[in-house]
Amino acid sequence: MTLGSAPTLDDVAREANVSRSTASRAINGGDRVSPEAQAAVDAAVARLGYTPNRAARSLVTRRTDSIALVVPEPDTMMLTDPFLTGVLRGVTDGIAGTDLQLVLLLNRVDEAPGRIARYLGSGHVDGAIIASAHERHQLEAALTRSHLPAVFVGRPFGEMSHHFVDVDNVEGSRLATQRLVERGCRRIGTVTGPQDMSAGIDRLHGFRETLAAAGLPSEAVAHGDFTAVGGGEAAARLLDEHPDLDGIFAASDLMAEGVLRTLHSRGKRVPDDVAVVGFDDLGVAQHTTPRLTTVHNPVVATTMAATATLLGLLAGAPVPAAPQIFTPYLVEGESA
Amino acid sequence: MTLGSAPTLDDVAREANVSRSTASRAINGGDRVSPEAQAAVDAAVARLGYTPNRAARSLVTRRTDSIALVVPEPDTMMLTDPFLTGVLRGVTDGIAGTDLQLVLLLNRVDEAPGRIARYLGSGHVDGAIIASAHERHQLEAALTRSHLPAVFVGRPFGEMSHHFVDVDNVEGSRLATQRLVERGCRRIGTVTGPQDMSAGIDRLHGFRETLAAAGLPSEAVAHGDFTAVGGGEAAARLLDEHPDLDGIFAASDLMAEGVLRTLHSRGKRVPDDVAVVGFDDLGVAQHTTPRLTTVHNPVVATTMAATATLLGLLAGAPVPAAPQIFTPYLVEGESA
DNA sequence: TTGTATGCGTTATCAC
DNA sequence: GTGATAACGCATACAA
């Protein structure tokens, strides 16, 4: 160990008066090492401030000890979505206690497609958590090809061969829509999420099913993009086509915020003229005027579960039989 | 190259009928390789789908080809700050075109301090971008000790030996405060950012200096934490102590949002009773009611500059003489 | 339980 | 311009 360079396993071994292999074993779990040797190595490690060289370890173990969090979201607006925050928090907490690195893979502005898929397929990470997947990104096929352990946060589109964890979006939108129905609304519309994302699709399904079951029409549908601005614009279109609307289900709180703004600017009182229910409960619902009635989406828990599944996969654990689906619940506000 | 395992440099060399050394040279810049050899190697690489093994390369080059983005923010609320979004975007765009990995280092909930400092000092990354640094994190000392190339987004506290890029916070808050003064406000207060962050400190300085220059008192100060909730609470305290306030400078738009909410709940009209100016212009300002007058904070540009500086450091470029300071500007809204 | 020997895939050195 | 060959730091099969 020359001055200035980091201590190596050899330095530790020398310091502890054992062989390199014994030092290695002591450091990695302590299997087949005498208590004395273990103590000597531990002491040497502490004294030298030794940290294993990740590259060298990777080279022989053929693992990188890092996982990727993929957010293939091309829209800058989307990044401000508290959803990403929750995902970040979930993954971060999920790998706490492990020595896994988190490599963040965001879509770059104006970049050619395929970079992320290529990266994932190139063995740079041991596994991946995929959030906010759009159908057009075609990550699923690439993932299938590369055999990289991966878990989706939110149901993927294609063959159900991918692992995923999700919130029950159909049930959530059912809760939201049912609330409007029970409140007495009879002309109910919805501002949907993107229809190339499973969350957007599922929440529209729940909406339609609930209204059908209640014997109410469900043709008042405007598509949003999970942003506040997009939600406001969708609400404007909705009101133009259906001026008599008395209830709106917005498929995300961010969009609901835009809906409230549009309603306000058109002089509609909430909830008296038009009742509104959102979806997510990730912080914005408490800050709207009036406070938003919404459906709680346990993003952090969902993402932590996804991370746990991925860790299991990496450890060679038996494959879970079915995806974990988390249950949403209604959160009282003043808007419906 | 056995089936299922990734192709190695040896495979490429064999396929191209050259030695491993030549293949390596051809792949890394093509210095001292004949055009024929280069072409043969390129073809082989394409045919095999070869990607260099990062661990092996790291081991010999002693570089990891990855940089860390450090957000030592313990408060969950803070993560939702659009500031982080901008930083993320800036770093991501800043390393576009390189093959650098982005390793995200977030503070974990309830974690013992020092993990991030240890990680940075352990040679796992080639460099680091530090955002949202609080004084108590003591990253600066650790960074100085480890000699890890690092660039702060936002001025650090201690010795000025660290590289950093910043927005001119003093000038920004001067613009904001001056706007209130010119509008006719005479009893002006501020909701500050955390006083253990340079942005929080500097914005308070600009506020005080401007009022002093205008011959106005500046004792109406309440400390916030850069969150909407904290801003609202600070505004409440401010109004309790100074009921006659006719202008408030909030040191961030998120806090300004809380300020507006508090003013609304107390029946104060904005801007007629109390004018409000924020700071950041990262998306929330356009969505408040009324639309917020604020100061544009070029976070993405700032962070991209920080990333560029770091890349220069890694490339052994001459150290920039002085930190880059970006200039903020006022953005018209309806609140002041 | 311990140590010896080997190889992981790459770049760098140095003869040719 | 090219190709052997030696590290880089670590984990592990195998012998002791």
Side-chain angles (χ1 to χ4, degrees):
Chain A
M1 172 187 176
T2 59
L3 208 101
S5 69
T8 76
L9 189 56
D10 268 319
D11 299 318
V12 174
R14 198 171 313 120
E15 180 86 7
N17 274 317
V18 297
S19 75
R20 203 175 45 198
S21 21
T22 300
S24 177
R25 278 189 295 258
I27 288 168
N28 300 316
D31 215 25
R32 295 183 320 181
V33 279
S34 63
E36 306 84 54
Q38 180 73 54
V41 171
D42 288 346
V45 165
R47 203 156 41 230
L48 264 38
Y50 169 77
T51 314
N53 180 311
R54 227 161 171 126
R57 177 178 278 177
S58 267
L59 194 53
V60 45
T61 60
R62 305 170 110 23
R63 311 184 35 189
T64 65
D65 287 331
S66 63
I67 64 172
L69 170 58
V70 183
V71 183
E73 191 51 65
D75 190 329
T76 304
M77 296 298 288
M78 193 56 153
L79 261 186
T80 59
D81 196 317
F83 181 80
L84 173 63
T85 303
V87 169
L88 224 43
R89 175 65 57 196
V91 176
T92 304
D93 290 354
I95 63 175
T98 75
D99 67 338
L100 250 28
Q101 271 182 25
L102 212 210
V103 175
L104 192 61
L105 259 39
L106 296 181
N107 205 298
R108 293 172 180 164
V109 284
D110 299 333
E111 95 173 328
R115 179 186 66 97
I116 289 179
R118 247 189 331 273
Y119 184 89
L120 291 179
S122 297
H124 293 322
V125 291
D126 296 337
I129 300 285
I130 323 284
S132 183
H134 287 250
E135 191 163 17
R136 65 176 175 286
H137 295 137
Q138 309 211 289
L139 272 175
E140 299 178 37
L143 247 19
T144 301
R145 269 194 306 272
S146 71
H147 296 292
L148 184 77
V151 180
F152 283 75
V153 174
R155 180 174 53 77
F157 301 89
E159 357 81 62
M160 297 295 276
S161 58
H162 289 287
H163 298 282
F164 75 93
V165 175
D166 206 352
V167 64
D168 190 336
N169 283 303
V170 175
E171 168 66 7
S173 56
R174 198 193 63 71
L175 288 172
T177 310
Q178 189 64 32
R179 166 58 164 249
L180 292 172
V181 170
E182 286 171 0
R183 199 178 192 290
C185 300
R186 285 302 170 264
R187 300 287 304 163
I188 305 176
T190 184
V191 172
T192 77
Q195 293 300 297
D196 70 337
M197 296 182 69
S198 58
I201 296 169
D202 292 356
R203 292 177 194 178
L204 177 55
H205 278 183
F207 171 79
R208 287 202 157 120
E209 284 180 19
T210 308
L211 288 190
L216 293 172
S218 65
E219 81 286 356
V221 173
H223 295 304
D225 58 0
F226 278 157
T227 72
V229 172
E233 293 169 355
R237 294 197 302 276
L238 212 50
L239 290 170
D240 288 344
E241 295 175 19
H242 309 272
D244 59 340
L245 241 42
D246 57 6
I248 296 180
F249 163 53
S252 84
D253 287 352
L254 228 41
M255 294 198 301
E257 195 184 328
V259 170
L260 290 178
R261 191 160 293 121
T262 294
L263 289 172
H264 180 78
S265 75
R266 298 205 172 189
K268 300 275 195 181
R269 292 167 305 162
V270 176
D272 298 341
D273 297 333
V274 182
V276 176
V277 179
F279 199 119
D280 272 348
D281 188 36
L282 295 171
V284 315
Q286 299 111 45
H287 299 332
T288 57
T289 314
R291 219 153 29 76
L292 196 62
T293 294
T294 187
V295 173
H296 183 77
N297 182 1
V299 188
V300 176
T302 304
T303 310
M304 283 190 71
T307 307
T309 300
L310 181 60
L311 295 189
L313 250 35
L314 295 182
V319 191
Q324 293 176 66
I325 306 294
F326 284 73
T327 305
Y329 55 86
L330 198 76
V331 176
E332 295 290 334
E334 304 157 347
S335 69
Chain B
M1 172 185 174
T2 58
L3 208 102
S5 69
T8 78
L9 188 56
D10 270 318
D11 298 319
V12 173
R14 198 172 311 122
E15 181 86 5
N17 273 318
V18 296
S19 74
R20 201 174 48 199
S21 321
T22 301
S24 177
R25 278 190 297 261
I27 287 169
N28 300 317
D31 214 26
R32 297 182 320 184
V33 284
S34 64
E36 307 84 57
Q38 181 74 53
V41 171
D42 288 347
V45 166
R47 203 156 41 233
L48 265 39
Y50 168 77
T51 314
N53 180 312
R54 228 162 169 128
R57 176 179 280 177
S58 266
L59 193 54
V60 47
T61 60
R62 304 171 109 25
R63 310 184 34 187
T64 65
D65 288 330
S66 64
I67 63 172
L69 169 58
V70 183
V71 184
E73 190 52 65
D75 192 329
T76 304
M77 296 299 288
M78 194 56 155
L79 262 186
T80 59
D81 197 315
F83 181 79
L84 173 65
T85 304
V87 169
L88 225 43
R89 174 66 59 197
V91 175
T92 304
D93 290 354
I95 62 174
T98 75
D99 68 337
L100 251 28
Q101 273 183 24
L102 211 211
V103 175
L104 192 62
L105 258 39
L106 296 182
N107 205 298
R108 294 171 181 164
V109 284
D110 298 331
E111 93 173 329
R115 180 186 65 99
I116 289 180
R118 247 189 330 273
Y119 184 89
L120 291 179
S122 298
H124 292 322
V125 292
D126 296 337
I129 301 284
I130 323 285
S132 184
H134 288 250
E135 193 164 16
R136 66 175 174 284
H137 295 138
Q138 309 211 290
L139 273 175
E140 298 178 37
L143 247 18
T144 301
R145 269 194 305 273
S146 71
H147 297 292
L148 184 77
V151 181
F152 283 74
V153 174
R155 180 175 54 75
F157 301 89
E159 357 81 62
M160 298 295 276
S161 59
H162 289 286
H163 298 282
F164 75 93
V165 177
D166 206 351
V167 65
D168 190 336
N169 284 303
V170 174
E171 168 66 7
S173 56
R174 199 194 60 74
L175 288 172
T177 311
Q178 190 63 34
R179 166 58 163 249
L180 292 171
V181 171
E182 286 170 2
R183 197 176 195 290
C185 300
R186 286 302 170 263
R187 298 289 304 164
I188 305 177
T190 185
V191 171
T192 78
Q195 292 301 297
D196 70 337
M197 297 182 70
S198 59
I201 296 168
D202 292 357
R203 292 177 194 177
L204 176 55
H205 278 183
F207 170 79
R208 288 201 158 121
E209 283 180 20
T210 308
L211 288 189
L216 292 174
S218 64
E219 80 286 355
V221 172
H223 297 303
D225 58 358
F226 279 158
T227 71
V229 172
E233 293 169 354
R237 293 197 301 274
L238 212 51
L239 290 171
D240 288 344
E241 296 174 19
H242 308 271
D244 58 340
L245 242 41
D246 58 5
I248 297 180
F249 163 52
S252 86
D253 287 353
L254 228 42
M255 293 197 301
E257 196 184 328
V259 170
L260 291 178
R261 190 159 296 121
T262 294
L263 289 171
H264 179 78
S265 75
R266 298 205 173 189
K268 300 273 194 182
R269 291 166 306 161
V270 176
D272 298 338
D273 299 332
V274 182
V276 176
V277 180
F279 200 119
D280 271 347
D281 189 35
L282 295 171
V284 313
Q286 299 112 44
H287 299 332
T288 57
T289 314
R291 218 153 29 77
L292 197 62
T293 294
T294 187
V295 173
H296 183 77
N297 181 1
V299 189
V300 177
T302 303
T303 311
M304 284 190 72
T307 308
T309 300
L310 181 61
L311 295 188
L313 252 33
L314 296 182
V319 191
Q324 293 176 67
I325 306 294
F326 285 74
T327 305
Y329 55 87
L330 198 78
V331 176
E332 296 289 335
E334 304 156 347
S335 67

